[in-house]
């Protein structure tokens, strides 16, 4: 395993449409996924897409931990959380028009935060690197991280999804925006 170099905003690999993976169970995909997990954990990210490590393939890894949705009941929490997940050749289906604003960061846009509206309720499908089908409903932060990571596969970074660039800020100034 290896910690990979992360491409930063401005690198052309982040603007390309990534290619589908022909064989998700191939040894080189296993290696890529292992390296992406290690890189994501090292960088303290919630998700990572292959183009961010200079590999233009449709592979993302992410997690939506329960501590992001503390205020929810046990039942509500189901769609709001996801274990460490590998998603290859993903497809997203929007399940309703409702959108939610939330603060996002990105390992390719270090030091910044932006308030981004995302669809609140989605379904996503794909396969993992063992060839298992993935088919999940997602809400809240879970829906947000999947939309953010899958956007990377189509060449979009979160600032390009923002409606008001006044809400693109440095992390160090986030305290001015904290809700209480
Ligand atoms: Ni990102």
């Amino acid at each position: 395993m290896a910690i990979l170099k992360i491409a930063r905003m401005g690198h052309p690999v982040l603007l390309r449409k990534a290619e589908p993976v022909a064989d998700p169970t191939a040894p080189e995909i296993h290696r890529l996924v292992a390296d992406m997990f290690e890189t994501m954990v090292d960088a303290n990210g919630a998700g990572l897409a292959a183009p961010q490590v200079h590999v233009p393939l449709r592979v993302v890894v992410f997690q939506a931990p329960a501590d992001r949705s503390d205020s929810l009941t046990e039942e509500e929490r189901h769609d709001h959380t996801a274990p460490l997940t590998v998603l290859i050749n993903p497809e997203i289906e929007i399940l309703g028009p409702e959108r939610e604003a939330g603060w996002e960061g990105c390992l390719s846009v270090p030091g910044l935060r932006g308030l981004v509206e995302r669809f609140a309720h989605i379904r996503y499908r794909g396969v993992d690197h063992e060839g298992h089908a993935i088919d999940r409903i997602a809400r809240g932060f879970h829906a947000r991280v999947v939309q953010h990571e899958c956007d990377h596969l189509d060449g979009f970074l979160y600032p390009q999804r923002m409606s008001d660039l006044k809400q693109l800020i440095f992390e160090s100034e986030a305290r001015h925006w904290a809700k209480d």
Side-chain angles (χ1 to χ4, degrees):
M1 299 221 293
I3 293 171
L4 305 172
K5 187 174 181 197
I6 296 174
R8 307 211 306 178
M9 182 165 64
H11 193 293
V13 73
L14 296 173
L15 298 173
R16 285 178 57 177
K17 193 170 167 72
E19 297 292 326
V21 176
D23 177 5
T25 63
E28 62 268 26
I29 299 300
H30 269 254
R31 214 154 33 235
L32 171 66
V33 165
D35 289 347
M36 284 174 66
F37 276 140
E38 195 177 6
T39 304
M40 180 180 98
V41 169
D42 176 70
N44 202 21
L48 188 68
Q52 291 183 275
V53 291
H54 305 86
V55 177
L57 291 174
R58 302 187 81 77
V59 179
V60 302
V61 298
F62 61 88
Q63 58 185 333
D67 62 7
R68 295 268 194 168
S69 46
D70 272 347
S71 57
L72 303 172
T73 65
E74 203 56 46
E75 197 179 333
E76 284 171 331
R77 202 166 285 180
H78 180 267
D79 294 345
H80 286 257
T81 59
L84 207 51
T85 298
V86 182
L87 189 61
I88 299 172
N89 299 336
E91 283 175 37
I92 292 179
E93 183 184 342
I94 309 303
L95 295 182
E98 190 197 339
R99 293 162 70 91
E100 286 171 351
W103 289 96
E104 296 187 13
C106 180
L107 297 175
S108 294
V109 191
L112 297 180
R113 288 278 178 271
L115 196 65
V116 188
E117 278 200 359
R118 299 282 186 187
F119 290 103
H121 190 196
I122 65 168
R123 176 182 187 175
Y124 62 91
R125 281 173 270 207
V127 292
D128 69 13
H129 57 314
E130 313 283 351
H132 302 301
I134 293 173
D135 184 348
R136 292 185 190 148
I137 304 291
R139 298 175 190 268
F141 177 77
H142 181 193
R144 175 173 302 281
V145 71
V146 170
Q147 289 170 86
H148 175 121
E149 296 314 326
C150 291
D151 254 1
H152 279 296
L153 306 181
D154 292 324
F156 288 97
L157 298 174
Y158 78 78
Q160 297 153 10
R161 295 298 194 197
M162 292 180 62
S163 52
D164 182 358
L165 287 175
K166 285 181 183 168
Q167 293 161 328
L168 183 63
I169 66 169
F170 285 103
E171 267 166 10
S172 57
E173 306 309 313
R175 67 187 187 282
H176 299 298
W177 295 75
K179 280 188 226 157
D180 46 19

